[in-house]
Amino acid sequence: MSENQTTTSWGSRLGFILASAGSAVGLGAIWKFPYMAGTNGGSVFMLPYIFFTFTVGISLLVAEFAMGRAGREGPMASLTKVCGRGWGFFGGVGVFTVFLILSFYSGVGGWCIKYMVDAVIGRGLISDSELLGTHFGAFVSDGSMSFLYMMIFLGITSVVVLRGIQGGIERVAKVLMPALFILMLIIIVRGLTLPGGLAGLEYLFAPRWEDFNASALFNAMGFCFFSLSLGAGTMITYGSYLSPKADLPGAVGWVAVLAIMSSILGGLMVLPAVFAFGLDPSAGPGLTFVTMPAVFSKMPLGQLFAVMFYVCLVVAALTSSVSMLEACTALLTRQFNMRRTPAILLTVASCTVVGLASTLSFGVWSDVKFFNRTIFDILDYVTSNVGMPLSTFGIAIAAAWVAWPTMKRELTAARPVSESGLWFIRIMIGVVSPLFVLVVAGGSL
């Protein structure tokens, strides 16, 4: 197989599914889902989340993968090629959004590496949550140290992407994704066997209708959008490397199943251990860097499980970051005819600059605020509430109402789909999904 093929196509359907699932499975599956499910009614939050994922979420994934495979280019060029002049704008918005996400997300990935290193050497497993909070605050406010770990995380991401699709992203996904699930299952078993651990299981799965309201339903919609990595250019990019003969609906279904599974496993990995030691299950992001170290400090063989936990975090962060860097690389190589290595290096250098500003917003630039938000908060807010919804909205409209003949061809390339099935998919993509995006974005704004 030629070098060009290994760089621009998936070697197998499994590799595509695992890499795409890895793009969707980020840090949020571990720290965000447990908190959101627990505080929004348990299983009565999960049921609408799963329903939205298997309806609206899958429809949007189909649209992005199909546009990418039909165009065989980067996000901008694919949409322009398939839908016509002007529609590439939405692909460009997605890639610019994912570039900003990669810039500040790499800082958080660096935090995960730092805590993994601390766990390996036995440092940081402190039982006092207040002291752990102080420890975390001191680290993130140390600009030079945080920036160093951010660069390490970006460096690892770059090495994977430099090796191409089959030799880098696909090979890593085939190793890291199964490893992630195995490690999560080991930690889950340990948590559930702790005295009091079953209370965490009840907190996560028991239906609590009194906690479920309009806000909880909105949160379920938002988490569906968040958990599938929609509107970031990554899925269009990954779709462009997919074989024309691959069963697109089937592959999308597997990506959705793995995304849901990883979120639920994330909840099972965290909450039983938290309840076993009587700590706060509603700490949100603090669960990762403040609550969990306290849990491991009290757990038999706590250091070993701490290492496993933070390896899981690093793997989850890395499988997402490589898809982000690949989306930026695809745009530069296919839209602007840059060679792959310079495109990667340019993206990483640019991310370093933006990431430095984001990192310093926890320390010496903490007083630099726009609209009462730090640089990190602004980047998070703009990407989540403006960039990703805008890109997804445009792609949905284009797929259903501008390029539907192309969509039909992509959906039926591997096996026939009934007319009623195609009609349902078109309505979901072109009517329900845009309304869904508007509700989520409007509520967030």
Side-chain angles (χ1 to χ4, degrees), residues 144-217:
S144 58
M145 188 61 67
S146 294
F147 183 67
L148 171 63
Y149 278 99
M150 184 194 83
M151 290 302 300
I152 292 172
F153 182 81
L154 269 176
I156 297 172
T157 303
S158 303
V159 169
V160 175
V161 179
L162 278 167
R163 295 184 62 84
I165 302 303
Q166 292 181 31
I169 297 173
E170 182 173 354
R171 180 175 295 177
V172 166
K174 284 182 175 180
V175 173
L176 292 188
M177 289 302 293
L180 173 63
F181 286 119
I182 291 170
L183 288 173
M184 292 174 87
L185 288 172
I186 292 172
I187 297 173
I188 288 168
V189 171
R190 172 68 270 194
L192 290 175
T193 56
L194 291 169
L198 292 179
L201 197 66
E202 182 180 356
Y203 181 76
L204 184 62
F205 287 108
R208 295 187 304 281
W209 294 99
E210 67 277 10
D211 293 334
F212 189 77
N213 49 35
S215 175
L217 185 64

Side-chain angles (χ1 to χ4, degrees), residues 288-440:
T288 301
F289 301 108
V290 178
T291 305
M292 290 307 292
V295 167
F296 295 126
S297 70
K298 301 174 182 178
M299 183 187 296
L301 298 177
Q303 183 179 354
L304 173 62
F305 288 101
V307 172
M308 290 183 182
F309 178 79
Y310 287 107
V311 167
C312 285
L313 286 181
V314 172
V315 169
L318 184 62
T319 54
S320 291
S321 66
V322 295
S323 70
M324 299 181 205
L325 181 54
E326 180 60 33
C328 297
T329 301
L331 182 139
L332 293 175
T333 55
R334 293 174 163 184
Q335 190 78 25
F336 300 102
N337 297 317
M338 290 185 66
R339 289 185 295 113
R340 185 173 179 84
T341 298
I344 293 171
L345 296 178
L346 175 61
T347 302
V348 171
S350 303
C351 283
T352 299
V353 174
V354 179
L356 176 61
S358 172
T359 297
L360 294 178
S361 70
F362 291 93
V364 295
W365 287 2
S366 59
D367 293 331
V368 178
K369 295 185 177 181
F370 304 91
F371 305 104
N372 203 34
R373 287 183 169 88
T374 65
I375 297 173
F376 181 97
D377 293 335
I378 281 287
L379 291 172
D380 184 28
Y381 182 84
V382 169
T383 54
S384 299
N385 300 308
V386 180
M388 293 175 72
L390 178 60
S391 177
T392 304
F393 183 86
I395 292 168
I397 296 298
W401 307 113
V402 179
W404 183 246
T406 300
M407 285 291 301
K408 286 179 64 176
R409 186 181 71 243
E410 294 298 324
L411 288 168
T412 58
R415 57 186 174 90
V417 179
S418 67
E419 284 299 321
S420 59
L422 289 171
W423 178 86
F424 175 78
I425 293 171
R426 188 177 190 182
I427 294 301
M428 289 300 302
I429 294 174
V431 178
V432 178
S433 295
L435 291 174
F436 177 92
V437 172
L438 289 175
V439 169
V440 173

Side-chain angles (χ1 to χ4, degrees), residues 88-103:
F89 166 78
F90 295 101
V93 170
V95 176
F96 181 67
T97 298
V98 86
F99 162 75
L100 295 179
I101 294 173
L102 179 60
S103 299

